[in-house]
Amino acid sequence: MNLPRKISKFTVAATALIVIVFVGMLPAGKKESKTQLSTGERFHHETTLTWRGVLGDVFGTKPKKPPQYKTYPGSEKVKLPKPEYRGMILEEAIEQRRSVRNYSKKPITTLQLSQLLFAAQGITGKIYGQPLRAAPSAGALYPFEIYMVANNVQDLPRGIYHYSLRDHALELVKAGDFRRKITDAGLEQEMLGDAAVTFVLSAIFDRLRCKYGERGFRYAYIEAGHISQNICLQSVSLGLGSVCVGAFLDEKVNQLIEVDGRKEAAIYLHPVGAL
Ligand SMILES: Cc1cc2nc3c(=O)[nH]c(=O)nc-3n(C[C@H](O)[C@H](O)[C@H](O)COP(=O)(O)O)c2cc1C
């Protein structure tokens, strides 16, 4: 190629490289008009994986990885019994699973609660020394924390608890009767207050974003489904009723479990009760 003497081949190559990197760094959706897309479409579009996006991600900044375990130092701890229950075969549980919204006034036992929490996020194995959990997680990064509004559990005072999965125990976040508050936060869906417990699945997004960037948000929603299905099937096997609940006032639920709604937010509710 005949280039003017002052522009070397090196300059051309360096400029080309900078352009490629810059284009690569642009999120996939940036070059199309955003005004034509709804919020949901934009979310899906801008978190769509493309090679350009993958390249951009290599150079893009990502948040630091937050701690893997959330703890409540100084809180009252309640050790749960070993999750040793063995129930029906999987195929029966799948066949029998149905959304149940009416529960009896019978309490559930701490053994049943133990089994439900273990099915949700219990430690079931290890790889290279790293604990693995009952539900799959992208990159084994485990963004979820499980909270629980305890309404009617034998030998457990009412309150909001956090599941400390490393020692299979509950940490008391706040004591009290939160039946009205969780029902109010759940758009008056009465099963939330009638249930023996209502689980709140809450995601710490940066645990995924630190590796997957904005696509990590998608993974959080997908993972909520995995955890929830485990709770559904475990409920059936324990002879309990449950339903997954996506319709709730985010801010009110976040306030109830004392998370900021940005770095950590409630994604899914899950009441479980005796039949
Ligand atoms: C993402 C999602 C959100 C849901 N949200 C609610 C809800 O807010 N309230 C409710 O009563 N049921 C909710 N459900 C349960 C569905 O209504 C139920 O699964 C559906 O009617 C099929 O019935 P089945 O679960 O008995 O098979 C939700 C289910 C899913 C998957």
Side-chain angles (χ1 to χ4, degrees):
M1 195 178 358
N2 282 336
L3 292 167
R5 233 183 293 148
K6 283 191 178 161
I7 306 174
S8 69
K9 282 183 183 164
F10 172 77
T11 312
V12 173
T15 310
L17 188 67
I18 288 166
V19 169
I20 289 167
V21 168
F22 178 72
V23 170
M25 283 173 78
L26 288 176
K30 281 272 159 66
K31 281 172 227 92
E32 288 172 40
S33 165
K34 279 185 190 168
T35 52
Q36 292 150 11
L37 300 176
S38 72
T39 304
E41 285 171 333
R42 214 165 70 228
F43 167 75
H44 189 77
H45 188 68
E46 292 196 7
T47 53
T48 293
L49 268 193
T50 59
W51 276 113
R52 192 179 59 219
V54 171
L55 246 182
D57 256 9
V58 174
F59 299 97
T61 49
K62 299 207 184 81
K64 264 194 10 214
K65 190 172 191 271
Q68 187 61 73
Y69 299 100
K70 200 170 170 182
T71 55
Y72 287 80
S75 76
E76 210 174 290
K77 253 198 177 175
V78 182
K79 190 93 186 93
L80 290 163
K82 256 188 158 179
E84 292 177 323
Y85 173 83
R86 292 295 174 264
M88 63 176 55
I89 58 170
L90 176 68
E91 290 76 9
E92 278 179 54
I94 291 172
E95 273 173 23
Q96 288 183 28
R97 186 211 60 81
R98 204 78 294 141
S99 292
V100 178
R101 300 176 179 85
N102 293 306
Y103 314 110
S104 74
K105 298 229 175 317
K106 261 192 353 213
I108 65 166
T109 64
T110 46
L111 184 60
Q112 288 173 320
L113 178 61
S114 159
Q115 203 65 49
L116 287 164
L117 285 165
F118 186 77
Q121 281 290 270
I123 295 176
T124 51
K126 265 190 183 170
I127 190 165
Y128 307 121
Q130 200 215 329
L132 299 169
R133 304 187 193 172
S137 172
L141 290 170
Y142 303 112
F144 275 91
E145 298 292 329
I146 312 279
Y147 294 86
M148 180 189 94
V149 181
N151 300 326
N152 195 9
V153 183
Q154 239 169 37
D155 306 321
L156 188 73
R158 282 193 175 129
I160 295 181
Y161 294 84
H162 169 255
Y163 177 45
S164 171
L165 61 104
R166 275 183 300 181
D167 47 1
H168 194 56
L170 297 171
E171 291 165 313
L172 182 66
V173 178
K174 48 192 174 193
D177 183 347
F178 294 95
R179 286 178 295 180
R180 178 88 290 280
K181 284 210 161 145
I182 189 69
T183 308
D184 171 46
L187 301 162
E188 295 303 327
Q189 299 189 76
E190 283 180 359
M191 67 270 191
L192 295 165
D194 292 345
V197 291
T198 288
F199 295 111
V200 181
L201 278 49
S202 164
I204 297 179
F205 298 111
D206 282 0
R207 287 192 191 146
L208 290 166
R209 286 175 76 218
C210 67
K211 179 169 181 189
Y212 299 111
E214 299 311 290
R215 192 171 177 88
F217 280 90
R218 282 205 208 189
Y219 295 166
Y221 303 129
I222 294 168
E223 288 184 31
H226 289 298
I227 297 170
S228 172
Q229 185 72 359
N230 279 8
I231 298 174
C232 284
L233 295 177
Q234 184 63 78
S235 300
V236 177
S237 175
L238 288 163
L240 303 171
S242 80
V243 56
C244 34
V245 172
F248 58 86
L249 300 170
D250 297 73
E251 211 178 318
K252 286 198 174 184
V253 176
N254 290 330
Q255 277 170 5
L256 210 53
I257 59 168
E258 298 181 354
V259 300
D260 68 0
R262 185 174 170 216
K263 289 286 173 199
E264 178 176 355
I267 303 289
Y268 222 4
L269 306 183
H270 214 119
V272 181
L275 299 174

